[in-house]
Each structure stands twice: as structure tokens, then as C-alpha cells.
Amino acid sequence: MNKGTALIIGVGDGLSASLARKLSDEGYDLILAAREPHKISELAAELSASSHSCDASIPAQVDRLFEAVTGPLRVMIYNPSARVRGPLTDLNPEDVHKAIDVTAFGAFLTGQQAARRMQDQEFVNGKRGTILFTGASAGVKGFPQSASFAMGKFAQRGLAQSMSRELHPKGIHVAWINIDGGIRNQSRSERTDPPENPDSMLDPDSIAETYLHLINQGRTAWSEEIAVRPWVERF
Amino acid sequence: MNKGTALIIGVGDGLSASLARKLSDEGYDLILAAREPHKISELAAELSASSHSCDASIPAQVDRLFEAVTGPLRVMIYNPSARVRGPLTDLNPEDVHKAIDVTAFGAFLTGQQAARRMQDQEFVNGKRGTILFTGASAGVKGFPQSASFAMGKFAQRGLAQSMSRELHPKGIHVAWINIDGGIRNQSRSERTDPPENPDSMLDPDSIAETYLHLINQGRTAWSEEIAVRPWVERF
Amino acid sequence: MNKGTALIIGVGDGLSASLARKLSDEGYDLILAAREPHKISELAAELSASSHSCDASIPAQVDRLFEAVTGPLRVMIYNPSARVRGPLTDLNPEDVHKAIDVTAFGAFLTGQQAARRMQDQEFVNGKRGTILFTGASAGVKGFPQSASFAMGKFAQRGLAQSMSRELHPKGIHVAWINIDGGIRNQSRSERTDPPENPDSMLDPDSIAETYLHLINQGRTAWSEEIAVRPWVERF
Amino acid sequence: MNKGTALIIGVGDGLSASLARKLSDEGYDLILAAREPHKISELAAELSASSHSCDASIPAQVDRLFEAVTGPLRVMIYNPSARVRGPLTDLNPEDVHKAIDVTAFGAFLTGQQAARRMQDQEFVNGKRGTILFTGASAGVKGFPQSASFAMGKFAQRGLAQSMSRELHPKGIHVAWINIDGGIRNQSRSERTDPPENPDSMLDPDSIAETYLHLINQGRTAWSEEIAVRPWVERF
């Protein structure tokens, strides 16, 4: 059964591919967007998805991306983030500004466009649509030598909270997912988890199960925020 | 396929019955415990479950309950809570003490016993077992005229955090679920949601879906805390 | 100028002595209470304070303590806490129960009695009185092998939040102070801070300055929660 | 006694004037910066302070401002914030971007420059300097119809956390103050608090007392975050 369109922004790493395959299996038409479209052409072909080049932190490019979204948009997932590491006093302000733009302003631009589409759609299974933001523990706790990531992820989480309080009563489900740990890269042949400490990195398919659960939650029991982390992760 | 034993403590309201039916459907042998066993006899018969009388805030009764648990304990869910409302200065200290005992100390007693059982079990699908505590927003924010509930639910949440940090690396998954809102009572024939504001109360079956998702999460992506609330709930 | 009575519960360590001396200097009549009164007799003599034996987790003893409080009670500070360390599965339930009683139930009992006294007093400098609870980071984050402390301090923080929301509009200022780190013991002649890492432990006089600031805050700008920690503390 | 330089950015409203007068009284040389310098000329004259025109969200202007800071910089306070209100779907992205720049990116630019100055200064009373950010409850909870303010204040709070964890061990004290409520405007002759609900707005002098307390905290007991709100404020 066709479930409408799912738009995944920031495709390239293991998580996005897992999300795309799972949503395709569930019956969604996929639209994939990335800054570097060659990174998603193979996945798009595999899933018969359309692929788009888009820097989500630039309003005109986001406008153009959403013009390509036809039919009811049921799911939007925002993955991009950027950061510069190092002592606060050494950071290049331009890099910091760009990092905030990618992590937070892009989340706003795409979240706003998705909300515009979704707010006039009919309800299906109690909701008009679902908007998910991929966060990190940097959005809950500001770590040293990581000011730009703290700013971007905190801002993104504040956006998700504001949107969920505003849009839930309109039937649009918004949630922020804290991916607390490193994601295992399935594309490499070698295991990234150390043998003495198996399953110490997040399996993208397991993360995707939680995204799918959020998408399928009944509207009397919506979650707005959730963290996922490996069993051996310290937190 | 038999998945081992699931123990649900504090059965009686709509949530516990939904949890019991869902876990039974999934292949778990059910053990139900309640202070007033007549409240669960019908459900126990329906699910071929054993039922036990137990005040979970009393160590000897908890010991006796767990003696009746044979075979691998895969799931333990703790639901009981108690409170006294009113101005702080009017509260009866004995009632407050009892409320903390039921909400928090009982969670400790049963959580401890469940951990003892689970820690020596073999891993199945990457985990030894799952312990879930039914919380409330009172565990995140202390409301006026509700000191006993704030104390009990905060303590329960602190327990869940301590247990998850200690037991996750041992393969025991612990989570605290904030049920933020009123639960719809399915046993009544009339709808409890007001017609002008449908689905304003939590459907116990929808809540149970999130419990089941937590139980089934892969161990590289465990959640420790989650809130569920109706789409129209203010938070 | 006499400022009325300040009651400090749980006297004995460095913090309580610093608080007592500072409040005495400020013009408060001191009442000191401890489970073991011989620990406070010297300090009481020094400050011309009355001293009382009281296990604050026992209602009758708290009742008796407050019968000894005459005159307007302007400040109440609650310091006692207790814990048992170790793996969750090894903890003695009785010890856990007692720990919660000391840390949280005693805070309730004394907080309730203080509120009863204060709610009918006249306003002085915009407030009827101040109630302060000495917390710990265990009330914000539940650490492994520390279930009883997590439960007690979380419960105490939930109590403080509930009380502040209920009592602030009545003119009674309630706050919870997270002492995040080890307190330096001034009574020992040797320094407890390691020479290579000076000032790594909290100076009780510095903590007391923050307590005094809270007591003196104008009522248009009250704080309900604050953490204090050494400059080199990781958090 | 001269205590070095205090730089206040974002001067104009009642809070900044209270802070400036209090710090001047304490013995600091004041430097005042604002986007519209005519708003601060009178205050600058009153306090013999230097005044500067500066849009703190523009790197070149911040560079120029700090070139004017001579002598040891002991205190830096960042006040500016901006927002656009309205339904998420109606917001102008440019306005949102500018709001984030003023509230959060300007905090980064000035915080970075202040840290550069302070990190090589000698310790006075245990610290090299203090950096304070004026926050709001929007940095703790994202409200509906207020996405831009949620993003800016969350990002600012994440910055403050990252900076405090990085800079505290270097002797630079960083804190974020949540001003939770409306600030009373002393310049108007009429009272802004309703007569039936006195002291319902924050008195800027009372807020300034808490800023001063943070500046004076001993380094074994530094606070990183604090909220101040009127006694009758709901939270």
C-alpha cells in the first residue's frame, strides 16, 4: 500500500540509507536530498527514489527542493549537521556560523516547508505527517572544545520543542532523536566494534526501528524526544 | 514461540491489561501481581496467566512474589503509584510516607529482584531482560499541592537512571516511561474523550506499543527514558 | 539587628558550621539540630545557639524540635542525607529505605513544619521566610551503584520544586542547592586539596555565601535551584 | 579600589543600566556597547564610561569593539537578543536567521573575544574573569509560535555550557542566567506591576544582585546556570 512521500534530507551515511530502505519497505515513495548528489545516486536507483542536490541551509535551495515534492508529504527526516572542533579561542567565526546554519537553520527551513505542506493534508491514521530531527547528546549537554556543535544541536532541539508544542495539536508529529554514540558503518567490510566490546556502536538499522516507531505512534501517545545509545555507552 | 516470562506488577487499570494482552500475544508467559487479586482474576483467566497478591512496597511480599517466578524472566513492568493531594501544610506525614513507598520503594524492591534474576540469564536477541517503570510528568516537574507524587515519581526516575547506567552494560535494559496525561478507560462503554476534543486521553493500547518497542530495541540503540502524551496535551 | 530565627538541621560537618557562623554574623538567632547532639555542643556554645537532638526522619522528633522554635522562623536549612553504596543486587532493602527516609522524608517533615510556621508570619523585606535544601548532583543524574542516593536526592529535588511552585506565591522562598563535589574539611589542619590541583574541593564558606545570597534575594528575582562546584570539577 | 574593566554589551533597557551602575559602584571601569549608541550616551556620561556602537552579530564590529578594550577585562556581560513571533509557517527565514545571529552568534563572537583577553590575565581572587550571558526560559523550554527565540536562546545556553566546561579549569567563570519573566521598566514613572499583584515583574536591581553574586563567587563554588523569577511567576 502506498503511504505517500517520505523526504530524507542529508543522505550519505549509514543511518540515512537504513532509514530510506525501511521507509521504502513500509510503502513510502522516497525523495532523497543531499549536498553532494553523487553520494545518493546508487541508493536512489536501488529504491526507485528521486534524488536532489540541496544545501539545506540556503533558503532558495530549500524552496526548490520542496517544489519537487508532489503528492502528500507524510514523513520528513532532517539529518545534516556540521561542526568545528578545537579550543574556543581558536575557532574561525565563519566556520562556526556555517556549522550553526547547517545543523539548526537548515532544520528550520526544511521543517517550516514540511509543516506548510502537511498542515493542509488530510489525516491518515490520526496524523497529518511526521517531522523528525536527528540530534546528538551535544543538544542536551554542551561539551568543551565543541562550542559550534553545542550551539547547533541545542538550537535544533529548541526548534523541535517549539514545533512540537505548536504543531502537535494540528496533527503534525515532531520529534528530536538524540543519537548518543558513534554509528556503525555498514558499508565497510571490517567490523568497527572492537572484538572485546561488541555492539559498542549504534547499528543504523536499530536506530531506524525507533524512527519508524515514532512515525507509527498513535496520536494519543506521541513522543517528542528520545535518546538511543549502545548498551555499553557511558552517559 | 515462547519468549519466557513477563511479570506485570500493579494490574488493574487499562494500561496493565493492554500490556498483558500485548505481551501474551507476543509469546510471553504472563505473571500478574496486584494488591487486590480479585481485580486481576478475570484477566489472568483470559490470558492463562498466574496471578498473585502482592503489596510491592513490603519486602517480604516481594520476596514471596519472586519465589513464584520460575523460568527465565524476560520482562518486568512496574506500574503502582500512590499520592495524596492537597496543600503541603495539610498533608498527613504517614500518607506521604506510604505514597513514596508504593511509587518508589516498591519500584526498587521489584527492580532489584528482577535484576537478580536477569543478571545470570543467557542473552536472547542481545539482552538478558527488560525492566520498565511507569512514570509520570510529576517525575520531571514537581507540581504544587502534589509533594508526595513529586517525591515518589522523582525517586522512581532517579532509580531508573541509576539502574540503567549500572545494568545496561550487563545486558539488562532499564527504562522509565513518562505517561503525560490521563489514560482512557476502555472498560467503560462511554467515551471519556470529549467529542469536541477527540483523542485527548492516552489510549492504553498505544502506550503499550511504545513499551513493546522498548522491549524489542536492539542493544546498540537502547532508550532509557521516553514520554508519551496526547497530541493535544499541553507540556 | 535581630533578624529572627534560623534553624539548621543536620549540623556537624564543615558546611553546617560555616552556615551557622555566617547566619549568626548576619543577626539571626541560631537553633541547631542533629542526631548526635554532642557533635554540635561546641558550635552551639560558640554562637550562643540552642542545640537539639533530632532524627529528622521521625515525625514525633520533628514535632518536638519545632515546639522548641519560638519567635519568627526566617530560615530553615536541611542538610542530612544518607546512602548505601554497592551493586544494586547487593543492597539491603532496609538500608535503602532508611536512606530515602533521611534524605527525602526528613526534608518533607521539616519543610512542612517550617512552612506551617512561616505562612502566618509577616513579610520582612518582601518574604515570610526561606527554606533551603542541601542537594547533590545525584538529584540530577542517577549514578550506577548508587540507587539509594539517586532515589533520595531526586525525591528531595522533586519536593523542593513542588514546594517552590506552591509556596513562592505565599511569600515563602524555597530552593534546592546542588553541592557538586567534595566539601573541604576545615577542621583538619592539613589541606585536603592536592597541591597540584588547588581548590579542587568546595570551601564551605564559599558555599555559605551562595546560601546567604538566596536568603537575601529580592522577591521579584528568586532562584529555585542552583549548583555550585569547584572550577576544576568535571560535570 | 579599581577592579579592572567590565564590558556590558547590549545596553539600553533597565537591566543593563542596573548592571552598569552596580559594577561602577563596585569599582569597575565600564565600557558600554550598543547598536544604537544614542541610547547609552546619558548612562555613559553618568558613569564616566566609554560607549561604543557595535552590532555584536557582525565579526568585524566585534573585533573593533575589543580593540577598544584596554587593560584587564574582568567582566563581560552579553544581553542582546532578538526574535520574531508568529506561526512557524508564517515566519520570514531572513528574520529568523538574524534573530539567531543576534541572540547566539553574537554571544559566541563576544564570548570568544573575552576569553582570548582573559586567558592570559593574572588571577585576581582566584579567577581570571567572568563571562555572563543573559538568557530566558526560552532556552530551557521551546514555546509554540516562538521558534526563533527557542533556537537562539537554546544555542546561547549550549554555548555557555560548552564554554564553562572548557574555561572554568582555566580560571574563567562562565554562567547563563535565565531571566524568567518580564523586567520592570524603572524609567517609566508609572508602575508596571498591577496593584493587585505587586512585584510581579523582575526588578532590574534585584537581578543585578545575582549577577554580582556570580562575579564574586569563590572558585571552589562556581555556578554555571541560574534562573531568577518573580515570586508569583508560574513555572
Side-chain angles (χ1 to χ4, degrees):
Chain A
M1 192 200 73
N2 183 280
K3 290 189 172 165
T5 296
L7 168 63
I8 303 179
I9 296 166
V11 184
D13 68 354
L15 175 57
S16 294
S18 285
L19 291 167
R21 289 196 185 96
K22 197 168 293 285
L23 290 170
S24 180
D25 284 351
E26 288 282 312
Y28 291 92
D29 292 327
L30 266 288
I31 300 179
L32 309 180
R35 271 201 301 175
E36 303 172 81
H38 69 271
K39 289 193 175 174
I40 54 175
S41 52
E42 202 176 333
L43 184 67
E46 175 194 326
L47 304 175
S48 305
S50 71
S51 70
H52 297 265
S53 169
C54 178
D55 182 333
S57 64
I58 298 175
Q61 294 197 24
V62 173
D63 288 350
R64 206 163 53 230
L65 171 64
F66 275 82
E67 283 164 14
V69 178
T70 55
L73 178 66
R74 290 294 166 187
V75 176
M76 197 278 274
I77 299 176
Y78 188 82
N79 292 313
S81 70
R83 70 177 110 177
V84 279
R85 282 204 187 84
L88 178 88
T89 49
D90 291 355
L91 300 177
N92 180 330
E94 258 184 63
D95 294 342
V96 172
H97 199 258
K98 183 64 186 168
I100 298 170
D101 276 357
V102 170
T103 307
F105 188 56
F108 165 77
L109 290 174
T110 56
Q112 184 187 45
Q113 290 276 14
R116 283 183 187 150
R117 289 300 177 95
M118 292 175 177
Q119 68 183 354
D120 296 323
Q121 293 175 177
E122 57 178 326
F123 284 85
V124 174
N125 289 328
K127 62 162 70 172
R128 288 194 159 101
T130 305
I131 297 172
L132 303 178
F133 297 105
T134 298
S137 52
V140 177
K141 179 176 171 176
F143 293 93
Q145 308 244 349
S146 192
S148 73
F149 205 45
M151 295 176 80
K153 286 295 179 188
F154 263 77
Q156 192 191 61
R157 184 168 157 241
L159 170 70
Q161 285 192 13
S162 174
M163 286 177 65
S164 64
R165 288 190 172 92
E166 181 175 335
L167 300 177
H168 281 194
K170 297 183 173 183
I172 301 172
H173 183 185
V174 181
W176 185 83
I177 300 103
N178 172 0
I179 311 286
D180 187 12
I183 299 179
R184 185 189 293 160
N185 192 330
Q186 293 185 312
S187 62
R188 303 190 213 155
S189 54
E190 79 278 21
R191 292 274 306 226
T192 48
D193 289 307
E196 73 284 3
N197 199 359
D199 293 338
S200 66
M201 302 191 78
L202 290 129
D203 172 15
D205 285 342
S206 290
I207 304 172
E209 288 289 350
T210 288
Y211 279 66
L212 191 68
H213 174 66
L214 292 169
I215 291 167
N216 289 332
Q217 281 185 320
R219 74 172 166 185
T220 70
W222 280 354
S223 301
E224 186 273 319
E225 194 169 311
I226 192 170
V228 287
R229 60 176 63 87
W231 64 313
V232 292
E233 185 77 12
R234 299 195 63 171
F235 65 102
Chain B
M1 193 200 72
N2 182 281
K3 290 188 172 165
T5 296
L7 169 62
I8 303 179
I9 297 165
V11 184
D13 68 354
L15 174 57
S16 293
S18 284
L19 289 167
R21 289 195 184 97
K22 195 167 295 284
L23 289 170
S24 179
D25 285 351
E26 288 282 311
Y28 292 92
D29 292 328
L30 266 288
I31 300 179
L32 309 179
R35 270 201 303 178
E36 301 173 82
H38 70 271
K39 289 194 175 174
I40 54 176
S41 51
E42 201 174 335
L43 183 66
E46 174 194 329
L47 303 176
S48 305
S50 72
S51 70
H52 297 265
S53 168
C54 179
D55 182 332
S57 65
I58 298 175
Q61 294 198 25
V62 173
D63 288 349
R64 206 163 53 231
L65 170 64
F66 275 82
E67 282 165 15
V69 177
T70 56
L73 178 65
R74 291 294 166 188
V75 175
M76 196 278 273
I77 298 175
Y78 189 81
N79 292 313
S81 71
R83 71 178 108 177
V84 278
R85 282 203 188 84
L88 178 88
T89 50
D90 290 355
L91 299 177
N92 180 330
E94 257 185 64
D95 295 342
V96 172
H97 200 258
K98 184 64 187 168
I100 298 171
D101 276 356
V102 170
T103 307
F105 188 57
F108 165 77
L109 290 173
T110 55
Q112 182 186 46
Q113 290 276 12
R116 281 182 188 153
R117 288 301 177 93
M118 291 176 178
Q119 68 183 355
D120 296 322
Q121 292 176 177
E122 56 179 327
F123 284 85
V124 173
N125 290 328
K127 64 163 67 174
R128 287 193 160 102
T130 305
I131 297 172
L132 302 178
F133 297 105
T134 297
S137 51
V140 177
K141 180 176 171 177
F143 293 93
Q145 307 241 351
S146 191
S148 73
F149 205 45
M151 294 177 81
K153 286 294 180 188
F154 263 77
Q156 193 192 61
R157 183 169 158 241
L159 170 70
Q161 285 193 11
S162 174
M163 286 178 66
S164 65
R165 288 190 172 92
E166 181 175 334
L167 300 178
H168 281 195
K170 296 183 173 182
I172 301 171
H173 183 184
V174 180
W176 186 81
I177 300 102
N178 172 358
I179 311 287
D180 187 13
I183 299 179
R184 185 190 292 159
N185 193 331
Q186 292 185 312
S187 62
R188 302 190 214 154
S189 55
E190 80 277 21
R191 293 274 305 223
T192 48
D193 290 306
E196 73 282 6
N197 198 0
D199 292 336
S200 66
M201 302 191 78
L202 289 129
D203 173 15
D205 286 342
S206 290
I207 303 172
E209 288 288 350
T210 288
Y211 279 65
L212 192 67
H213 174 66
L214 292 169
I215 291 167
N216 289 331
Q217 280 185 319
R219 74 173 165 184
T220 70
W222 281 354
S223 301
E224 186 274 318
E225 194 169 311
I226 192 169
V228 288
R229 58 176 64 86
W231 65 313
V232 292
E233 184 77 13
R234 300 196 63 172
F235 66 103
Chain C
M1 189 199 76
N2 183 281
K3 291 187 172 164
T5 297
L7 169 62
I8 303 179
I9 296 165
V11 184
D13 68 354
L15 174 57
S16 293
S18 285
L19 290 166
R21 290 197 184 95
K22 196 168 294 285
L23 289 170
S24 180
D25 284 351
E26 288 282 312
Y28 291 93
D29 293 327
L30 266 287
I31 300 179
L32 309 179
R35 270 201 302 178
E36 302 173 81
H38 70 270
K39 289 194 176 174
I40 54 175
S41 53
E42 203 176 333
L43 183 67
E46 174 194 327
L47 303 175
S48 306
S50 72
S51 70
H52 298 265
S53 169
C54 178
D55 181 333
S57 64
I58 298 175
Q61 294 197 25
V62 173
D63 289 349
R64 205 163 51 229
L65 171 64
F66 275 82
E67 282 164 15
V69 178
T70 55
L73 178 66
R74 290 294 166 188
V75 175
M76 197 277 275
I77 299 176
Y78 188 82
N79 292 313
S81 70
R83 70 177 111 176
V84 279
R85 283 204 185 84
L88 177 88
T89 49
D90 290 355
L91 300 176
N92 180 329
E94 258 185 64
D95 294 342
V96 172
H97 200 258
K98 184 63 187 168
I100 298 170
D101 276 356
V102 171
T103 308
F105 188 57
F108 165 76
L109 290 174
T110 56
Q112 183 187 45
Q113 290 276 13
R116 283 184 187 150
R117 289 300 178 93
M118 293 175 178
Q119 68 184 354
D120 296 322
Q121 292 175 178
E122 58 178 326
F123 284 85
V124 174
N125 291 327
K127 62 163 67 173
R128 288 194 160 102
T130 305
I131 298 171
L132 303 178
F133 297 105
T134 298
S137 51
V140 177
K141 178 176 172 176
F143 292 94
Q145 308 244 350
S146 191
S148 73
F149 204 45
M151 294 177 80
K153 285 296 180 188
F154 263 77
Q156 193 191 60
R157 184 168 158 242
L159 171 70
Q161 286 192 12
S162 175
M163 286 178 66
S164 64
R165 288 189 171 93
E166 180 174 335
L167 300 178
H168 281 195
K170 296 184 173 181
I172 301 172
H173 182 184
V174 181
W176 186 81
I177 301 102
N178 173 358
I179 312 287
D180 187 13
I183 299 179
R184 185 189 293 161
N185 193 329
Q186 292 185 312
S187 62
R188 302 188 215 157
S189 54
E190 79 276 24
R191 292 275 303 227
T192 48
D193 290 306
E196 73 283 5
N197 199 359
D199 292 338
S200 65
M201 301 190 78
L202 289 130
D203 172 16
D205 285 342
S206 290
I207 304 172
E209 288 289 349
T210 289
Y211 279 65
L212 192 67
H213 174 66
L214 293 168
I215 291 166
N216 289 332
Q217 281 185 319
R219 73 174 167 183
T220 70
W222 281 354
S223 301
E224 185 272 321
E225 194 169 312
I226 191 169
V228 288
R229 58 175 64 86
W231 63 314
V232 292
E233 184 77 13
R234 300 194 64 172
F235 64 102
Chain D
M1 192 198 72
N2 183 280
K3 291 187 172 166
T5 296
L7 169 62
I8 303 178
I9 297 166
V11 183
D13 67 355
L15 174 58
S16 293
S18 285
L19 290 167
R21 289 195 185 96
K22 195 167 295 283
L23 289 170
S24 179
D25 285 350
E26 288 282 312
Y28 292 92
D29 292 328
L30 266 288
I31 300 180
L32 310 179
R35 271 201 301 178
E36 302 173 80
H38 70 270
K39 289 194 176 174
I40 53 176
S41 52
E42 201 175 335
L43 183 67
E46 174 194 329
L47 303 175
S48 306
S50 71
S51 70
H52 297 265
S53 169
C54 179
D55 181 334
S57 64
I58 298 175
Q61 294 197 25
V62 173
D63 289 349
R64 207 164 51 232
L65 171 64
F66 276 82
E67 282 164 16
V69 178
T70 55
L73 179 65
R74 290 294 165 188
V75 176
M76 196 277 273
I77 298 175
Y78 189 81
N79 292 314
S81 70
R83 69 177 110 177
V84 279
R85 282 205 187 84
L88 177 89
T89 49
D90 291 355
L91 300 176
N92 180 331
E94 258 184 62
D95 294 343
V96 172
H97 200 258
K98 184 64 187 166
I100 298 171
D101 276 356
V102 170
T103 308
F105 188 58
F108 165 77
L109 290 174
T110 55
Q112 183 187 45
Q113 290 276 12
R116 282 184 188 151
R117 288 300 177 93
M118 291 175 179
Q119 68 183 354
D120 296 322
Q121 292 176 177
E122 57 179 326
F123 283 85
V124 174
N125 289 329
K127 61 163 68 175
R128 288 194 160 102
T130 305
I131 297 171
L132 303 178
F133 298 105
T134 298
S137 52
V140 177
K141 180 176 171 177
F143 292 93
Q145 308 242 351
S146 191
S148 73
F149 205 44
M151 294 177 81
K153 285 295 180 190
F154 263 76
Q156 192 191 61
R157 184 168 157 243
L159 171 70
Q161 285 192 12
S162 175
M163 287 178 66
S164 65
R165 288 190 173 92
E166 182 175 335
L167 300 177
H168 281 194
K170 296 183 174 182
I172 301 171
H173 183 185
V174 180
W176 186 81
I177 300 102
N178 172 357
I179 311 287
D180 187 12
I183 299 178
R184 185 189 293 159
N185 193 330
Q186 292 185 311
S187 62
R188 303 189 213 155
S189 55
E190 79 277 22
R191 292 276 303 227
T192 48
D193 289 308
E196 74 282 7
N197 198 0
D199 293 337
S200 65
M201 302 190 79
L202 289 129
D203 172 16
D205 286 342
S206 290
I207 304 172
E209 288 288 349
T210 289
Y211 279 64
L212 192 67
H213 174 67
L214 292 169
I215 291 167
N216 288 333
Q217 280 184 320
R219 73 173 167 184
T220 70
W222 281 354
S223 301
E224 186 273 319
E225 193 168 313
I226 192 169
V228 287
R229 59 176 63 86
W231 65 312
V232 292
E233 185 77 13
R234 299 195 64 172
F235 65 102

